[in-house]
């Protein structure tokens, strides 16, 4: 019924507001506890901080919310495995034509996910998922209904942890759950690329673990997934212009270590 729909929507809004308040509390605690994360650096408004500073803040805040620290006891500082393509060109919330004009074929903002950077020796999958969700919340302009296309780049990277797929699955599962609960309607599609033929079976096992609405929006783009393997542009232009495909390659290489 209409009443049931309104009630469900109200509950989702209430849950998001509670989640956001908890994030803001963790943010203030992080600023107070970390002299190097001053209000001027992380910004008092979404998008005011640089992209890398926003990620750093979200890691510290996620750690405080989940009572997690690095093995050394220091606040969480994690590899930035989620990057809005073009965001490192400058600060500002994602809105209008996106950051740096980097969008998919439908004009949606592009979030590049590099799960091979996930290092579970540093933090739990839950901490990475919460930091990723908080980063998205900070980067997206709440007054804009712009949707996001998620690019799950499955290739390994130089100097990264390069975990086994079984270690990545819990992170993606938790991220899907948070995204479905807190950002309903924001996900345009998720493109997993490049996916070797042998991994299709793994996807079929993993798919039931995702939120059903997200799983229905996942597209697989085949191809070799080695360290030196390029993205397959001929199979990706259905979803992305060449400028965006090139930006994805630059984004991945920029995060190589050593």
């Amino acid at each position: 019924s209409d009443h049931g729909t309104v009630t469900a929507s109200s509950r989702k809004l209430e849950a998001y507001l509670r989640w956001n308040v908890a994030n803001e509390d963790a943010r203030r605690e992080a600023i107070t506890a970390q002299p190097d994360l001053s209000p001027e650096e992380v910004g008092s408004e979404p998008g005011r901080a640089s992209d890398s500073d926003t990620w750093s803040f979200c890691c510290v805040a996620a750690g405080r919310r989940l009572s997690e620290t690095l093995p050394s006891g220091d606040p969480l500082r994690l590899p930035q495995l989620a990057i809005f393509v073009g965001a490192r060109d400058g600060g500002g919330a994602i809105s209008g034509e996106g950051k740096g004009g980097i969008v998919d074929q439908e004009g949606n903002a592009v979030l590049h996910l590099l799960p091979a950077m996930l290092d579970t020796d540093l933090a739990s999958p839950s901490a990475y998922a919460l930091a990723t969700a908080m980063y998205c919340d900070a980067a997206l302009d709440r007054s804009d209904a712009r949707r996001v296309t998620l690019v799950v780049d499955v290739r390994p990277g130089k100097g990264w942890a390069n975990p086994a797929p079984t270690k990545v699955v819990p992170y993606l599962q938790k991220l899907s759950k948070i995204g479905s609960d807190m950002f309903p309607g924001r996900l345009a599609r998720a493109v997993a690329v490049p996916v070797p033929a042998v991994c299709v079976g793994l996807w079929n096992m993993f798919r039931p673990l995702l939120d059903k609405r997200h799983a229905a929006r996942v597209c697989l783009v085949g191809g070799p997934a080695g360290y030196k393997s390029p993205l397959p542009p001929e199979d990706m232009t259905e979803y992305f212009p060449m400028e965006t495909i090139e930006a994805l390659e630059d984004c991945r290489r920029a995060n190589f270590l050593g």
Side-chain angles (χ1 to χ4, degrees):
S1 68
D2 291 343
H3 176 70
T5 300
V6 171
T7 300
S9 298
S10 297
R11 287 175 178 169
K12 280 185 174 291
L13 177 59
E14 183 180 352
Y16 169 76
L17 292 175
R18 286 198 304 268
W19 182 79
N20 189 257
V21 167
N23 290 347
E24 289 299 318
D25 289 343
R27 166 197 175 111
R28 286 191 292 270
E29 292 173 5
I31 293 172
T32 301
Q34 297 299 310
D36 59 325
L37 285 178
S38 68
E40 290 74 22
E41 288 175 319
V42 301
S44 58
E45 300 175 0
R48 179 176 171 184
S50 69
D51 187 67
S52 58
D53 284 344
T54 297
W55 173 260
S56 294
F57 147 70
C58 291
C59 291
V60 175
R64 294 189 72 86
R65 280 202 60 185
L66 300 177
S67 300
E68 285 194 38
T69 63
L70 293 176
S72 64
D74 293 327
L76 290 187
R77 297 296 177 88
L78 305 175
Q80 188 173 351
L81 48 68
I83 305 165
F84 275 105
V85 181
R88 288 186 172 176
D89 295 337
I94 299 285
S95 63
E97 291 302 316
K99 287 189 175 181
I102 304 300
V103 295
D104 70 1
Q105 293 285 24
E106 297 177 358
N108 300 306
V110 178
L111 179 65
H112 197 184
L113 207 65
L114 298 163
M117 296 183 74
L118 186 143
D119 188 345
T120 53
D121 289 338
L122 299 179
S124 69
S126 294
Y128 279 96
L130 181 56
T132 302
M134 292 175 72
Y135 166 75
C136 292
D137 192 47
L140 293 168
D141 187 338
R142 295 170 195 169
S143 66
D144 188 351
R146 170 173 294 277
R147 298 209 293 169
V148 174
T149 288
L150 178 65
V151 178
V152 184
D153 193 329
V154 305
R155 295 173 293 174
K158 184 179 180 182
W160 299 352
N162 297 318
T166 52
K167 289 192 174 184
V168 174
V169 167
Y171 162 69
L172 295 177
Q173 185 180 7
K174 292 176 185 301
L175 182 60
S176 175
K177 179 66 168 61
I178 296 174
S180 176
D181 290 344
M182 300 301 147
F183 308 105
R186 276 286 196 179
L187 181 68
R189 66 166 60 91
V191 180
V193 61
V195 180
V198 294
C199 291
V200 174
L202 181 64
W203 160 246
N204 290 333
M205 290 188 294
F206 170 55
R207 183 170 184 159
L209 301 177
L210 288 178
D211 178 270
K212 291 181 180 179
R213 288 164 295 182
H214 284 179
R217 296 189 179 103
V218 173
C219 310
L220 302 185
V221 176
Y227 163 64
K228 296 184 178 180
S229 301
L231 292 173
E234 64 280 1
D235 296 320
M236 291 184 66
T237 50
E238 176 183 351
Y239 308 110
F240 308 100
M242 279 303 303
E243 177 188 11
T244 297
I245 297 171
E246 292 168 359
L248 289 166
E249 289 285 23
D250 290 342
C251 178
R252 174 174 174 264
R253 287 192 293 266
N255 281 279
F256 285 175
L257 303 174

